Amino acid sequence: MDRLIITDVSPRDGLQNQPKAVSAQDKLRLIDCLVSAGVRSVEATSFVSPKAVPQMADASEVLSALLVRQPELRSSVLVPNLKGLERAHAAGAREIAVVLAATETMNQKNINMSLQQAAEVSEQTVLAARGHGMKTRAYIAVAFDCPFEGATALERVMALSQRMLDAGADELVIADTIGSASPGMVRDRVRALLEQVPSDKLALHFHDTRGMGAANAWAAVEQGVRRFDASTGGIGGCPFAPGAAGNVATEDLVLMAERSGLATGIDLMALLNAVDLAEALLGRPLGGRSAPWLRRQRDKAREPAMPS
Ligand code: COA
Ligand code: ZN
């Protein structure tokens, strides 16, 4: 059966912007719960400045414990620079993701670098990670629109993607950081990208700000993309991109896939347990667009059978 490969980014993108602190132990519990539901790939944390993102200050603790308790799990970690890479390496990371935004201002706001610097640092970081024998993902952030500069030119996205592939990145992650894309835009950009990137090296990362996350993912599926980032409960958002809401929810992509004849290996009812746990940890109601319906199905399944 044709399948979608979902990387659940809730432990990183999902938690990096939350007002309520979540302990390292609770982050690990959330990841355990995802694994129990069948998730085989996560973005576990980020090795960024704890001053910039205090929520990820426990990156080393989370990753080193995770590698022991979930040795089979594909656990990538975000690193913005060589310092982050070395911290990740010391904690045992086997896969990292660099983050290169497609506009000048977004790089300045996110990682305090010019576009030129960010591209160079991302290249150096990918090369150094490969030297450590790590797998690498390269995010191209704000690949549709930038909250500061407006529409992002496709040519820019193509050129930066090529640069990261030339540096040896194993996977490109085209990110709709503020969730402004539409299915037609996705179709056109993905078509153009697939002329230079093999489909098994291309992942898409959507945010659901305007309610189009799943529709956008489907537009990419129709062009041949099978790799997606998503976040359980739809939590997430970049603290440095104003207006960005949560990621497209993992449960929405899994339901979309299941109902379209694509396997994911993820069990929806078990995934709801992870949504419930995230709710308990963050102290507020969560869930993607499908969550209310999924919960009703769960409630029905739990109702005692009528006596005959
Ligand atoms: N991890 C931990 N600390 C780091 C670090 C990293 N990857 N990179 C730099 N630092 C520390 C430096 O050691 C220095 O510490 P000091 O003040 O105690 O001496 C301090 O941070 C400043 O270093 P500098 O190189 O000048 O960084 P900066 O202030 O220009 O910030 C980044 C650059 C990239 C470190 C910071 O902007 C960042 O972490 N951004 C991440 C944003 C993010 O996570 N966005 C969401 C995901 S896309
Ligand atoms: Zn994101």
Side-chain angles (χ1 to χ4, degrees):
M1 192 192 222
D2 196 0
R3 52 191 300 126
L4 291 193
I5 298 167
I6 296 179
T7 295
D8 194 296
V9 298
S10 58
R12 194 279 299 174
D13 208 340
L15 295 181
Q16 70 184 3
N17 202 15
Q18 299 296 335
K20 192 161 184 293
V22 178
S23 70
Q25 280 312 312
D26 284 339
K27 291 174 180 176
L28 290 162
R29 277 173 63 212
L30 178 63
I31 299 172
D32 287 344
C33 202
L34 295 173
V35 173
S36 301
V39 170
R40 292 289 168 263
S41 174
V42 298
E43 190 167 82
T45 184
S46 59
F47 289 84
V48 298
S49 158
K51 283 183 201 142
V53 186
Q55 291 88 340
M56 297 287 124
D58 57 6
S60 301
E61 185 186 349
V62 169
L63 182 65
S64 37
L66 182 62
L67 292 171
V68 173
R69 63 208 260 165
Q70 298 289 359
E72 303 298 318
L73 180 66
R74 181 179 167 199
S75 310
S76 155
V77 296
L78 186 145
V79 304
N81 55 14
L82 286 167
K83 171 152 189 180
L85 175 68
E86 292 317 320
R87 287 178 61 215
H89 180 53
R94 298 185 296 239
E95 179 165 3
I96 56 106
V98 294
V99 53
L100 171 58
T103 66
E104 191 62 39
T105 319
M106 191 63 218
N107 283 302
Q108 295 284 0
K109 300 277 182 190
N110 193 37
I111 51 176
N112 196 26
M113 295 177 209
S114 66
L115 175 56
Q116 178 65 19
Q117 276 175 310
E120 280 166 17
V121 167
S122 296
E123 275 172 347
Q124 288 160 5
T125 306
V126 165
L127 287 170
R130 290 175 60 207
H132 286 314
M134 295 170 174
K135 291 260 177 211
T136 56
R137 309 178 92 205
Y139 279 103
I140 308 295
V142 296
F144 293 86
D145 294 282
C146 171
F148 308 103
E149 298 189 19
T152 302
L154 173 61
E155 294 67 34
R156 178 76 68 73
V157 176
M158 303 278 287
L160 294 174
S161 298
Q162 191 58 51
R163 213 167 147 174
M164 296 317 297
L165 284 181
D166 291 345
D170 296 299
E171 192 170 287
L172 276 179
V173 191
I174 301 299
D176 180 18
T177 309
I178 58 169
S180 65
S182 69
M185 292 164 76
V186 172
R187 176 199 58 212
D188 294 349
R189 288 202 166 199
V190 165
R191 245 185 219 163
L193 280 158
L194 283 173
E195 282 175 20
Q196 70 179 40
V197 188
S199 65
D200 63 350
K201 287 191 158 207
L202 185 63
L204 272 283
H205 174 111
F206 291 112
H207 284 258
D208 209 10
T209 316
R210 304 186 191 182
M212 299 219 181
N216 287 337
W218 187 251
V221 167
E222 287 201 316
Q223 297 306 314
V225 173
R226 293 293 180 269
R227 289 162 192 270
F228 293 92
D229 287 358
S231 169
T232 292
I235 53 176
C238 176
F240 308 102
N247 294 72
V248 67
T250 306
E251 56 272 26
D252 290 351
L253 287 199
V254 173
L255 180 62
M256 177 193 85
E258 240 178 47
R259 298 284 297 157
S260 309
L262 294 161
T264 62
I266 301 172
D267 180 273
L268 274 169
M269 291 302 132
L271 189 61
L272 277 183
N273 295 335
V275 180
D276 291 347
L277 176 58
E279 269 191 4
L281 296 177
L282 296 174
R284 62 188 172 84
L286 297 173
R289 313 229 163 219
S290 64
W293 182 83
L294 287 170
R295 286 186 161 122
R296 286 200 297 279
Q297 306 318 301
R298 180 173 63 181
D299 291 347
K300 270 192 218 159
R302 282 177 179 169
E303 273 166 21
M306 295 284 282
S308 51

